[in-house]
Amino acid sequence: MQDKIADGPDHYQGIRYQTAGAQMDTQSKYGMADYTYYGSSLGGADLSPFTVDEGSLIAGAGDSALGAMWEPQTLDATKVYHYRNDAGFFNEGVVVPEAVVSYTNNTTTDKKNHVLDELTLNFATHNIGFKSVWDNITMTATIPAGLTVDPKTMKAKLNDGSEVNVDVKSYNASTHKITYKLPKDLADNEWTTVSVDTKINSKASNKTLQPSMVSQGGKVLYNKASAQTDIPVELAPTVIDKTVRNESEKETEYQDTTQVHARDVLGFKLKFTVDEKSSTMKTTALLDEMDKKLELVKETGKKPIKVDYSDGTTEEFDSLGSMTLKQMEPGDSATITYKAKVMDTAIEGDILSNKVTTLSELPDTSTTASESEVSMETVKPKDSKVHFEYMTVQLEKLLMIQSLFRVKLVNTFQPEQLLKVILMEVRM
């Protein structure tokens, strides 16, 4: 019997029937020891339940039964409630794969999830078989775009309680997936849990996020398990959404992430929106944290940052650290655009990040915040192709050619004041 499932029971018991009636024999460590079973009802009888480890034998012979109980709940006629209880029967030597997705909100004080709350996601892989081994397991977790992942916090907790770090490259920011091969096979009743710290971003406002996972491996009959969980997020008064595109690579669509090379020029777009159900925002300060390997692109005579408001007005700013938007009403929005260049210090494998945080003041002087972040992976430059071209030019143009193409002139000769020159053009 397995109760570590969504909508599963709060308490349960294993019962072995004896000649004189019914007697409580044992209880899972996942249950609580304050309910007992007698006859056909939970509670009431003065019996002493005790706990045992998962996988222990509770009924070796004779008749037995299982009891489950959920805490009392007041039902609302406008809502749907789910109750689930699983029990299975199988022979020894059979792998029974299981996956469990759960989360802990490390910030909330009202048991609800809000934008900017910090969550720890847990992706657990479990073998609930009997005298079996689940081998060669790979776990793939999909994390919604409404959660900003900190790959440096990924770790795996093994069945013996020890923890190992998970390589940051196991997380793909483009697909929002963690792919991890479990370091050990799982015998029956063993677990391995991969965890990662995340933060709820503005994309999650008023939505239900669904992180999911699939664990698969081995050549056994049953070798795959999947699971997901729901994370409902409260409506945020304001939302900021930041996206990026690589303009040097001729990208036309803004997205959450992209690949870059040193010296690439990137375009950034930020859209700030006041929700229609919110209040007037008297002012909004934007703090845009530029990665240290990015630099703002500036053009002579122009301010590099432009703001387009939904009412048709515009503003321009000189610095990312000095942006304060004008008063905005419910339903209003502002789009901020600028360009940045990847510096020569960026090398293959570097993950560049750019995060923006907003702080808005309401008419009652209270404040509300929102946040959005994009990431960029620095990749190996494309293979260069060298193109050679022969040109015949007059002697007096040599200096101009050398200056224009910045190449060394080779293989020259001078019949009748003409030179044959090899020009080299590097095409990326």
Side-chain angles (χ1 to χ4, degrees), residues 2 9 34 70 78 81 108 157 244 266 269 284 287 296 316 334 342 371 379:
Q2 167 64 341
D34 54 356
W70 288 259
T78 64
Y81 298 86
T108 187
K157 183 177 181 179
V244 61
L266 311 178
K269 181 171 76 171
T284 297
L287 175 61
L296 188 64
E316 293 182 342
V342 182
E371 181 180 289
V379 296

Side-chain angles (χ1 to χ4, degrees), residues 170-191:
S170 298
Y171 176 66
N172 186 320
S174 298
T175 61
H176 303 280
K177 292 181 183 292
I178 299 173
T179 302
Y180 179 67
K181 189 177 187 305
L182 272 56
K184 292 186 177 181
D185 299 338
L186 298 181
D188 43 297
N189 308 308
E190 290 188 342
W191 297 81

Side-chain angles (χ1 to χ4, degrees), residues 5-10 70-71 73 75 79-85 230:
I5 51 175
D7 308 315
D10 298 301
W70 288 259
E71 290 289 353
Q73 183 173 24
L75 302 181
K79 295 182 179 180
V80 176
Y81 298 86
H82 298 274
Y83 300 90
R84 174 181 168 184
N85 193 17
D230 291 345

Side-chain angles (χ1 to χ4, degrees), residues 222-281:
Y222 306 107
N223 68 350
K224 181 179 180 180
S226 60
Q228 69 177 41
T229 193
D230 291 345
I231 305 177
V233 180
E234 298 296 298
L235 176 69
T238 63
V239 170
I240 183 73
D241 184 25
K242 185 165 192 174
T243 49
V244 61
R245 68 184 182 190
N246 189 327
E247 300 200 353
S248 294
E249 291 295 322
K250 310 300 181 184
E251 292 180 352
T252 58
E253 299 294 328
Y254 289 95
Q255 49 200 341
D256 296 331
T257 185
T258 190
Q259 293 184 330
V260 302
H261 319 87
R263 302 187 183 183
D264 279 356
V265 174
L266 311 178
F268 290 93
K269 181 171 76 171
L270 295 68
K271 186 171 183 180
F272 176 77
T273 305
V274 181
D275 189 84
E276 293 181 350
K277 299 178 182 179
S278 186
S279 304
T280 298
M281 299 297 151

Side-chain angles (χ1 to χ4, degrees), residues 391-398 411-421:
M391 298 180 64
T392 302
V393 297
Q394 294 182 355
L395 181 61
E396 57 265 23
K397 292 184 179 179
L398 282 176
N411 191 25
T412 65
F413 58 102
Q414 193 171 356
E416 300 179 357
Q417 301 298 312
L418 295 178
L419 293 177
K420 190 174 185 181
V421 184

Side-chain angles (χ1 to χ4, degrees), residues 262-324:
R263 302 187 183 183
D264 279 356
V265 174
L266 311 178
F268 290 93
K269 181 171 76 171
L270 295 68
K271 186 171 183 180
F272 176 77
T273 305
V274 181
D275 189 84
E276 293 181 350
K277 299 178 182 179
S278 186
S279 304
T280 298
M281 299 297 151
K282 295 174 61 178
T283 61
T284 297
L286 281 80
L287 175 61
D288 197 315
E289 301 177 49
M290 180 83 75
D291 193 282
K292 62 183 181 180
K293 295 185 179 182
L294 296 174
E295 57 182 353
L296 188 64
V297 173
K298 298 182 179 181
E299 297 181 33
T300 304
K302 293 183 179 181
K303 293 183 177 181
I305 306 164
K306 184 180 180 182
V307 181
D308 292 293
Y309 293 99
S310 55
D311 64 5
T313 59
T314 62
E315 276 189 286
E316 293 182 342
F317 295 95
D318 285 312
S319 169
L320 292 172
S322 62
M323 294 186 290
T324 300

Side-chain angles (χ1 to χ4, degrees), residues 114-229:
H114 308 269
V115 172
L116 300 188
D117 280 359
E118 296 180 352
L119 310 182
T120 298
L121 299 182
N122 300 293
F123 302 96
T125 304
H126 185 206
N127 177 13
I128 56 176
F130 180 47
K131 294 184 178 180
S132 63
V133 176
W134 188 10
D135 64 335
N136 196 32
I137 308 167
T138 296
M139 188 281 300
T140 302
T142 302
I143 300 176
L147 293 173
T148 301
V149 175
D150 182 358
K152 297 186 296 296
T153 66
M154 292 189 298
K155 57 188 176 182
K157 183 177 181 179
L158 308 184
N159 192 70
D160 61 5
S162 62
E163 292 184 346
V164 295
N165 292 327
V166 177
D167 191 333
V168 295
K169 293 181 180 179
S170 298
Y171 176 66
N172 186 320
S174 298
T175 61
H176 303 280
K177 292 181 183 292
I178 299 173
T179 302
Y180 179 67
K181 189 177 187 305
L182 272 56
K184 292 186 177 181
D185 299 338
L186 298 181
D188 43 297
N189 308 308
E190 290 188 342
W191 297 81
T192 293
T193 302
V194 175
S195 63
V196 62
D197 291 342
T198 67
K199 180 182 284 189
I200 301 176
N201 60 50
S202 295
K203 292 183 177 68
S205 175
N206 202 32
K207 296 180 181 178
T208 297
L209 306 179
Q210 293 184 318
S212 62
M213 68 174 290
V214 175
S215 290
Q216 185 171 10
K219 296 181 180 180
V220 294
L221 179 61
Y222 306 107
N223 68 350
K224 181 179 180 180
S226 60
Q228 69 177 41
T229 193

